[in-house]
Amino acid sequence: MPLASLLSFATEELSVKLGQTLGGLLNATFGNAVELIVSIVALRDGQIRIVQSSMLGSILSNMLLVLGCCFLAGGSRHREQHFNSLVASTMSSLMAVASASLIIPATLYNVMAANGNTTDKEDNILILSHGTAIIMLILYVLYLFFQLKTHSYIFDEEGQGEDGEEPEEAHILSPWAAGIALVVVTVMVAVCAEYLVDSIDAIVETAHISKTFIGLILLPIVGNAAEHVTAVVVSLKNKMDLAIGVAMGSSLQIALGVTPFLVILGWIIGQPMTLHFETFETVVFFLSVLVVNYLIQDGKSNYLEGAMLVGTYVIIALAFYVYPDQPGKKGF
């Protein structure tokens, strides 16, 4: 938590100088660097189940828990908060595309299994996953170009509309100092995360908790502590565009950037990492995207909407707590 607070402070310092859009993108990137490092190590060791669980868990944690806590915290101080609805709509649309990229492999797998086509099933899923991963990476690059270059005025629109309402905040660190602080703190968090991953087996044996629950719930909560602290702090200050950029931007980066990258990396190093998740997990992801899309499409938030998101996350956490491990399926 102290490291998360430092990361939050460094991000706020950068956002003062660079703006809320770029500040949120940087926070999401440095926060997701932890999951990326841990996942690369796990993928190299062939722990595909842990990689998939961690990726899906990170998306759900940011999209439901972090965003929900933002709405709750901000709603406790402000009756109603506003954010750029067009930006939120763009992000939610891309998340819908990401959910489709998981639904299609799961559906194809079940269809081939029902038809008795078991010989080429794994190879076909790999081919589909590799092609889908390339398309998703291209979409994410196009989104970054859209966000930072061609349509940057849309993402800066909310901040321009608030000109004159609040004085410009004084910043303690220069952009270079804040950037160096982000890198150093991210490395320190990654080191701590490595020790956490090494202790997973001991936790499973002593606490009798499944690896699925650890990968989908516990690891993302710890790994996303930086984004969580940052988003809640800025939502209390009524900087909802930055909060949305951190929470939704991080989920989007995991779904369209990190997960496809890991699929391609697995292809390169010979690990059968695919986009085929268990049917239950795929349905949970789709329903979560659906709930979030409904709540953010109007560009307004309050504490009740935050309670809905957090409540949905708690229900999912309970479901995965009783969800059994299936160690026999390493390649799905």
Side-chain angles (χ1 to χ4, degrees), residues 194-259:
E194 282 288 343
Y195 285 106
L196 181 66
V197 172
D198 291 339
S199 65
I200 287 178
D201 290 332
I203 295 174
V204 170
E205 293 178 4
T206 57
H208 304 290
I209 300 175
S210 67
K211 284 188 176 181
T212 302
F213 182 78
I214 292 175
L216 276 160
I217 305 299
L218 297 184
L219 277 182
I221 289 177
V222 176
N224 292 331
E227 293 101 317
H228 202 151
V229 172
T230 300
V232 170
V233 168
V234 298
S235 66
L236 286 170
K237 298 179 180 180
N238 206 25
K239 298 180 179 179
M240 288 307 295
D241 284 301
L242 180 54
I244 294 290
V246 170
M248 287 296 292
S250 182
S251 295
L252 195 60
Q253 193 174 74
I254 290 285
L256 288 181
V258 176
T259 303

Side-chain angles (χ1 to χ4, degrees), residues 18-245:
L18 301 179
Q20 295 190 29
T21 301
L22 194 53
L25 177 62
L26 285 173
N27 180 266
T29 301
F30 280 98
N32 290 334
V34 178
E35 281 92 343
L36 179 59
I37 294 170
V38 173
S39 296
I40 289 176
V41 174
L43 182 62
R44 185 189 60 194
D45 295 338
Q47 299 185 44
I48 297 173
R49 179 59 179 163
I50 291 294
V51 176
Q52 290 183 320
S53 299
S54 178
M55 291 298 99
L56 181 59
S58 295
I59 296 171
L60 295 177
S61 174
N62 281 299
M63 195 167 52
L64 296 175
L65 183 61
V66 176
L67 190 60
C69 287
C70 287
F71 289 175
L72 271 175
S76 66
R77 185 172 294 184
H78 309 276
R79 168 171 285 190
E80 189 174 73
Q81 294 178 290
H82 299 264
F83 50 86
N84 195 324
S85 59
L86 185 56
V87 172
S89 175
T90 301
M91 289 183 171
S92 60
S93 298
L94 285 169
M95 287 304 300
V97 173
S99 67
S101 71
L102 298 189
I103 292 173
I104 292 172
T107 306
L108 177 64
Y109 186 91
N110 290 331
V111 168
M112 289 190 295
N115 293 335
N117 184 8
T118 58
T119 54
D120 299 328
K121 184 169 56 178
E122 300 295 338
D123 291 337
N124 291 339
I125 292 296
L126 272 174
I127 294 172
L128 174 62
S129 296
H130 294 160
T132 304
I134 293 172
I135 294 172
M136 291 169 69
L137 282 173
I138 293 174
L139 283 176
Y140 186 67
V141 171
L142 287 174
Y143 165 70
L144 291 179
F145 189 69
F146 179 88
Q147 178 188 34
L148 301 176
K149 187 69 175 176
T150 60
H151 291 70
S152 59
Y153 64 92
I154 296 176
F155 292 82
D156 295 333
E157 188 178 70
E158 189 75 12
Q160 293 169 359
E162 294 175 355
D163 284 349
E165 292 183 12
E166 295 181 3
E168 183 178 347
E169 296 184 22
H171 54 89
I172 301 172
L173 300 178
S174 67
W176 279 105
I180 293 173
L182 274 175
V183 174
V184 172
V185 174
T186 301
V187 171
M188 294 173 67
V189 172
V191 172
C192 294
E194 282 288 343
Y195 285 106
L196 181 66
V197 172
D198 291 339
S199 65
I200 287 178
D201 290 332
I203 295 174
V204 170
E205 293 178 4
T206 57
H208 304 290
I209 300 175
S210 67
K211 284 188 176 181
T212 302
F213 182 78
I214 292 175
L216 276 160
I217 305 299
L218 297 184
L219 277 182
I221 289 177
V222 176
N224 292 331
E227 293 101 317
H228 202 151
V229 172
T230 300
V232 170
V233 168
V234 298
S235 66
L236 286 170
K237 298 179 180 180
N238 206 25
K239 298 180 179 179
M240 288 307 295
D241 284 301
L242 180 54
I244 294 290

Side-chain angles (χ1 to χ4, degrees), residues 7-29:
L7 197 56
S8 169
F9 169 73
T11 301
E12 278 199 85
E13 291 295 304
L14 268 180
S15 67
V16 170
K17 187 68 176 178
L18 301 179
Q20 295 190 29
T21 301
L22 194 53
L25 177 62
L26 285 173
N27 180 266
T29 301

